[in-house]
Amino acid sequence: MASVFHHSIYVKQDDLDNMNHVNNVIYLRYAQEVAEAHWLAKGTEDIRKRFLWVVLRHEIDYLTPAALGHELLGKTWVDEPEGPKIVRHVELFNVTLNKVSARIKTTWCLLDTSTLRPKRIEGEMIDFFK
């Protein structure tokens, strides 16, 4: 269904754990950063005013540790929506090591900002992800 969106991330000192590689919870922050960058890049101001997203579920596979100064290329795409839900995939490719550091799969739910109730993903929201 969707095209792939790219967003670069650089590992900072505050991202590291006591083993000097990216802390496991930081990968979740990176996935959020990639998703938000996609939303801001593709969504119009009108769409962002009328809709918002909430997370229902995260799954993370940690593959290759990233360290201070590494460049990560966040790649994201989505599956076909199911009602108000959509699954977003984020792959964090470690450019420095030429390996995938993590793969994250997140189930999101679209909400109408005026009611804060789930909203079926259709029409212009489908077009957003193409």
Side-chain angles (χ1 to χ4, degrees):
M1 164 183 178
S3 60
V4 177
F5 177 81
H6 297 87
H7 177 74
S8 291
I9 297 167
Y10 294 89
V11 177
K12 300 180 285 297
Q13 182 66 45
D14 290 346
D15 298 343
L16 304 180
D17 60 18
N18 61 354
M19 294 176 61
N20 284 321
H21 41 67
V22 174
N23 185 289
N24 60 335
V25 297
I26 299 300
Y27 286 102
L28 194 54
R29 189 186 82 209
Y30 291 163
Q32 175 75 26
E33 182 179 325
V34 171
E36 185 174 340
H38 184 215
W39 180 239
L40 292 173
K42 301 266 307 215
T44 65
E45 186 176 339
D46 179 59
I47 285 176
R48 291 193 308 267
K49 284 182 181 178
R50 293 187 298 134
F51 303 107
L52 60 93
W53 296 95
V54 294
V55 171
L56 302 177
R57 178 182 173 87
H58 290 295
E59 296 175 51
I60 304 175
D61 292 316
Y62 303 98
L63 303 169
T64 304
L68 183 63
H70 285 188
E71 178 186 0
L72 303 177
L73 179 61
K75 303 174 185 179
T76 188
W77 64 94
V78 297
D79 292 342
E80 291 289 331
E82 295 181 17
K85 297 178 188 178
I86 198 162
V87 173
R88 175 182 291 277
H89 300 268
V90 175
E91 179 181 273
L92 297 171
F93 181 79
N94 191 318
V95 176
T96 307
L97 299 178
N98 199 33
K99 295 181 178 183
V100 175
S101 283
R103 289 191 179 102
I104 301 106
K105 187 166 99 172
T106 302
T107 304
W108 293 85
C109 181
L110 182 67
L111 299 182
D112 180 306
T113 56
S114 63
T115 64
L116 296 182
R117 303 213 20 106
K119 172 80 171 135
R120 175 176 279 285
I121 300 168
E122 57 192 3
E124 64 189 331
M125 289 306 296
I126 295 287
D127 294 340
F128 168 84
F129 292 110
K130 291 184 181 176

